[in-house]
């Protein structure tokens, strides 16, 4: 089913500019990267709109004139139950339109040379090999574990499902093209539930650190205390010194004001007028140029993702990385007495053939969404809490329109943090994105949406994420299935966050605030915003989620924690868990430092105990 007619209708294409005509081909690229169910859902929705147009006018959208297409959209938008359908269709269309209407500024021609990595494609790796340690996943936790064991003189093999992408390659492609390559499922990983949530995760050498914002918060002390006291996670006791080491490795520092961009500066100005606690964020991006492309791979090499900062040290100490290798199962030696012992892993190459790496120590760093299915495929999924306890940071965003251009995509992508409500579990961050790629969905259809696109330079955007009550779980074996139902208490926090962001933008001088809620899209004063929000619940918001954790939680209670307090999987010998799944509870901040410090603690503790 072709989408040209729907795109022309949504973007009010009158033929006077050439960029809308390029959007359908760009949209095809986006859809091709999505998993089959998501792709089929979009095609079904397009077909439904086309059928409606046929019934109403007797012709398809593509052959209707601009006024007739506008009439079809107005008629559809008058049905409240159909508005969510149209909003679902707007998301990929706006992604494609943002790329074609305002291409990103190219990166410098002379991109820096990345530190060397010992990477071998899976097709060139032998069918059977051996190692002292095999690490599954090369993201935050896996990279630290690989470096720790390699520096201890052990032979280490890292298996990564994704590919290695260089800094130079990021500057050669449009952000949207990188987006579909660097994220699992083309960025369309979702948690089913009430409401459904997009939950994007990276897939590349370096994992999600390649595509995160670079924001580096230390684990709050009260969170560490809770992990020790409530969950019995003793390794949290000495995490402070490990956090120090990780910060040095990543070269974490407060972002200077001169690259924050107007988006961050306006957020700080609003916070100052309100007397709220706020400041530039601490990030792992020394020499940041403010290209606003962190989430699709930094094209200048400033952001110290682990493929630039940790994995090179691991490889220098002898670790080897196999790319394009999807681990199918952990191999077990069940012939000895007692519980089974790890014997290595079996992985699948892109062509369907398999390879085995035999090893007495297996470190899983497949992520909170990947580790539970991997353990189930390996016959290690018997713990009743495996896959449970899923915590994410449910998030929503708001935009403010200002009298003068903001041009939010010039400057740091995530620039300023507003912590006034952090003790209530609400963290607000000034967050922009490459054109069209933000989680904020512009209001309107047809000509109204086109006006919003044309006026996007005057928008500043904020995002808020909340420390949630773990209420999700990860199911499945061969394919991950995520379920997450928003806790009512977290819904109330999101509404508080929405009002707080509106108040902040008005304090900064916004002429109006765009809520992202189709039924209450804009307010021109705080009083009007308050009145609108009386008719809205959290389930009406455009929600996304980030930072999944907790699905193979470590803890002292064998009945509640699949992993023991030292990071060892219960029910087997020789398996460590070092990714976000091992965190006992929500870290309440961007979790990269927390995951890396915990991985360091688990790895070092294992070395100390085994000699």
């Amino acid at each position: 089913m072709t989408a040209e007619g729907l795109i022309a209708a949504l973007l009010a294409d009158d033929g006077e500019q050439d960029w809308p005509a390029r959007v359908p081909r760009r949209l095809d690229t986006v859809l091709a990267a999505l998993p089959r169910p998501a792709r089929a859902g979009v095609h079904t929705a397009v077909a439904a709109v086309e059928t409606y147009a046929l019934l109403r006018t007797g012709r398809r959208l593509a052959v209707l004139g601009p006024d007739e297409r506008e009439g079809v959209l107005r008629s559809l938008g008058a049905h409240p139950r159909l508005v969510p359908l149209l909003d679902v269709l707007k998301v990929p269309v706006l992604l494609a339109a943002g790329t074609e209407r305002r291409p990103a500024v190219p990166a410098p021609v002379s991109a820096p040379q990345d530190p060397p990595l010992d990477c071998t494609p899976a097709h060139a790796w032998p069918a059977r090999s051996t190692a002292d340690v095999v690490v599954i996943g090369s993201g935050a936790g896996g990279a630290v574990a690989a470096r720790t064991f390699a520096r201890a003189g052990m032979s280490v093999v890292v298996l990564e499902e994704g590919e290695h992408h260089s800094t130079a390659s990021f500057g050669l492609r449009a952000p949207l093209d990188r987006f579909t390559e660097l994220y699992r499922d083309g960025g369309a990983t979702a948690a089913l539930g009430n409401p459904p949530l997009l939950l994007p995760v990276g897939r590349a050498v370096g994992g999600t650190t390649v595509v995160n914002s670079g924001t580096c918060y230390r684990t709050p002390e009260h969170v560490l205390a809770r992990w020790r006291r409530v969950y019995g996670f003793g390794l949290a006791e000495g995490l402070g010194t490990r956090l120090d080491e990780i910060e040095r490795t990543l070269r974490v520092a407060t972002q200077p004001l001169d690259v924050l961009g107007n988006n961050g500066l306006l957020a700080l100005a609003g916070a100052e007028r309100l007397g709220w606690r706020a400041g530039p964020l601490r990030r792992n991006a020394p020499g940041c140029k403010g290209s606003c492309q962190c989430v699709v791979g930094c094209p200048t090499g400033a952001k110290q993702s682990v493929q630039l900062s940790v994995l090179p040290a691991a490889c220098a100490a002898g670790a080897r990385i196999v790319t394009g290798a999807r681990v199918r199962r952990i191999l077990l030696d069940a012939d000895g007495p007692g519980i089974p012992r790890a014997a290595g892993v079996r992985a699948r190459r892109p062509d369907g053939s398999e390879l085995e790496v035999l090893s007495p120590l297996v470190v899983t760093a497949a992520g909170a969404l990947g580790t539970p299915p991997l353990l189930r495929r390996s016959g290690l999924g018997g713990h009743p809490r495996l896959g449970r306890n899923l915590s994410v940071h449910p998030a929503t965003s708001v935009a403010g329109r200002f009298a003068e251009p903001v041009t939010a995509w010039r400057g740091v992508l995530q620039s300023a943090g507003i912590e006034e409500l952090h003790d209530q579990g609400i963290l607000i961050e000034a967050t922009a994105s490459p054109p069209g790629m933000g989680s904020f969905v512009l209001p309107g259809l047809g000509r109204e949406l086109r006006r919003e696109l044309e006026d996007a330079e005057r928008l500043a955007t904020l995002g808020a994420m909340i420390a949630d009550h773990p209420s999700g779980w990860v199911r499945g074996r061969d394919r991950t299935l995520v379920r997450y139902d928003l806790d009512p208490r977290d819904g109330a926090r999101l509404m508080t966050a929405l009002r707080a962001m509106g108040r902040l933008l008005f304090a900064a001088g916004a002429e109006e605030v765009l809520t992202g809620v189709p039924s209450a899209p804009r307010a021109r004063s705080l009083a009007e915003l308050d009145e609108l929000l009386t008719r809205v619940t959290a389930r009406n918001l455009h929600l996304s989620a980030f930072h999944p954790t907790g699905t193979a939680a470590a803890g002292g209670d064998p009945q509640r924690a699949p992993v023991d307090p030292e990071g060892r999987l219960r029910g087997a010998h020789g398996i460590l868990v070092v990714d976000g799944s091992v965190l006992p509870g929500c870290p309440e901040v961007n979790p990269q430092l927390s995951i890396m410090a915990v991985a360091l603690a688990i790895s070092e503790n294992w070395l100390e105990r085994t000699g």
Side-chain angles (χ1 to χ4, degrees):
M1 172 63 68
T2 181
E4 283 89 347
L6 176 64
I7 292 170
L10 286 174
L11 301 179
D13 182 11
D14 54 12
E16 294 184 4
Q17 292 182 290
D18 60 356
W19 66 265
R22 300 194 299 269
V23 173
R25 184 164 56 182
R26 180 70 68 174
L27 179 62
D28 288 342
T29 302
V30 174
L31 296 181
L34 300 184
R36 188 177 300 161
R39 191 163 60 247
V42 172
H43 286 310
T44 300
V46 171
V49 175
E50 286 287 1
T51 300
Y52 182 87
L54 278 170
L55 291 172
R56 180 177 172 84
T57 69
R59 291 175 293 165
R60 295 176 56 247
L61 281 169
V63 298
L64 296 178
D67 289 339
E68 292 172 301
R69 290 196 297 258
E70 189 81 10
V72 170
L73 290 184
R74 278 200 305 269
S75 177
L76 280 168
H79 298 277
R81 292 184 179 181
L82 296 181
V83 171
L85 168 70
L86 293 170
D87 267 15
V88 166
L89 290 173
K90 279 166 58 176
V91 172
V93 170
L94 288 175
L95 276 172
T99 296
E100 294 303 332
R101 180 175 175 272
R102 188 179 285 109
V105 176
V109 175
S110 56
Q113 186 71 31
D114 292 350
L117 294 178
D118 186 345
C119 290
T120 302
H123 69 79
W125 192 263
R128 177 166 288 194
S129 59
T130 61
D132 296 328
V133 187
V134 59
V135 180
I136 305 167
S138 65
V144 169
R147 185 186 69 170
T148 305
F149 289 121
R151 284 178 168 176
M154 303 175 75
S155 62
V156 177
V157 173
V158 181
L159 297 179
E160 168 57 52
E161 183 179 357
E163 302 296 334
H164 177 229
H165 300 268
S166 68
T167 297
S169 74
F170 294 147
L172 299 175
R173 292 172 292 160
L176 187 56
D177 294 335
R178 285 135 59 190
F179 180 82
T180 55
E181 290 183 10
L182 292 170
Y183 286 82
R184 186 174 302 280
D185 296 329
T189 304
L192 302 178
N194 187 14
L197 301 172
L198 275 177
L199 187 56
V201 291
R203 185 179 66 173
V205 172
T208 301
T209 75
V210 179
V211 293
N212 68 14
S213 64
T215 298
C216 290
Y217 272 100
R218 291 174 70 95
T219 322
E221 284 299 326
H222 69 273
V223 171
L224 294 177
R226 184 172 69 247
W227 288 357
R228 293 191 302 267
R229 184 183 68 255
V230 177
Y231 300 104
F233 183 46
L235 290 180
E237 182 69 42
L239 217 59
T241 58
R242 270 116 181 185
L243 287 165
D244 293 339
E245 178 178 339
I246 297 301
E247 284 191 320
R248 287 192 295 271
T249 297
L250 299 181
R251 302 166 65 190
V252 174
T254 300
Q255 198 65 53
L257 291 174
D258 60 357
V259 294
L260 287 193
N262 290 332
N263 199 63
L265 294 175
L266 284 168
L268 293 179
E272 183 178 11
R273 287 169 188 153
L274 293 172
W276 287 3
R277 288 173 290 140
L281 288 167
R282 288 173 57 77
R283 303 180 67 244
N284 61 331
C288 175
K289 307 299 183 187
S291 62
C292 198
Q293 296 183 40
C294 308
V295 294
V296 285
C298 176
T300 68
K303 189 179 73 170
Q304 296 298 291
S305 313
V306 297
Q307 88 280 8
L308 300 181
S309 56
V310 180
L311 288 172
C315 291
R320 296 165 294 170
I321 303 169
V322 184
T323 61
R326 183 174 190 265
V327 175
R328 293 294 303 147
R329 63 183 296 119
I330 297 171
L331 303 175
L332 301 172
D333 180 1
D335 292 337
I339 61 178
R341 182 175 297 274
V345 302
R346 179 178 298 135
R348 180 173 294 167
R349 300 183 178 101
D351 65 3
S353 63
E354 294 187 334
L355 61 87
E356 290 183 353
V357 182
L358 304 181
S359 171
L361 179 61
V362 173
V363 179
T364 176
L369 305 187
T371 285
L374 168 63
L375 295 176
R376 294 188 190 109
R377 292 196 301 270
S378 306
L380 296 167
H383 196 284
R385 297 291 296 173
L386 180 69
R388 297 276 180 172
N389 193 51
L390 173 64
S391 183
V392 299
H393 281 137
T396 190
S397 54
V398 166
R401 176 170 284 110
F402 288 78
E404 300 298 325
V406 178
T407 320
W409 50 87
R410 293 180 187 163
V412 176
L413 182 139
Q414 200 167 80
S415 51
I418 295 87
E419 300 185 12
E420 185 68 18
L421 303 179
H422 204 189
D423 57 353
Q424 299 178 41
I426 299 169
L427 182 57
I428 297 172
E429 294 167 334
T431 304
S433 66
M437 294 186 62
S439 58
F440 181 78
V441 180
L442 293 170
L445 301 166
R447 291 188 177 99
E448 181 185 2
L449 180 59
R450 179 67 174 264
R451 286 194 296 270
E452 294 289 351
L453 279 170
E454 301 289 352
D455 203 28
E457 279 196 336
R458 294 201 294 131
L459 294 180
T461 54
L462 301 175
M465 65 183 196
I466 62 167
D468 69 335
H469 297 80
S471 56
W473 61 95
V474 175
R475 296 175 173 174
R477 294 167 55 92
D478 295 315
R479 182 165 184 83
T480 301
L481 303 172
V482 185
R483 176 80 192 194
Y484 186 93
D485 291 306
L486 188 69
D487 187 286
R489 293 167 292 182
D490 295 333
R493 287 182 181 178
L494 284 166
M495 296 305 298
T496 298
L498 183 63
R499 185 186 187 279
M501 289 189 288
R503 185 180 177 192
L504 185 74
L505 288 166
F506 282 126
E511 296 178 334
E512 68 173 353
V513 164
L514 306 182
T515 67
V517 181
S519 61
R522 64 187 78 243
R524 291 175 175 81
S525 68
L526 188 59
E528 185 179 354
L529 178 65
D530 286 340
E531 195 278 328
L532 287 176
L533 295 185
T534 62
R535 309 195 299 268
V536 173
T537 71
R539 288 178 170 79
N540 301 127
L541 305 180
H542 283 292
L543 298 181
S544 52
F546 306 93
H547 316 143
T549 59
T551 54
D557 184 349
Q559 303 303 312
R560 296 193 59 80
V563 173
D564 77 10
E566 297 182 357
R568 299 172 298 191
L569 181 70
R570 288 189 162 102
H573 290 303
I575 301 175
L576 302 179
V577 183
V578 300
D579 55 36
S581 67
V582 80
L583 302 188
C586 179
E588 300 187 8
V589 292
N590 304 55
Q592 181 178 339
L593 295 189
S594 302
I595 294 169
M596 294 177 75
V598 165
L600 182 60
I602 291 170
S603 305
E604 289 183 338
N605 182 73
W606 189 92
L607 288 169
E608 290 169 6
R609 288 193 171 272
T610 60

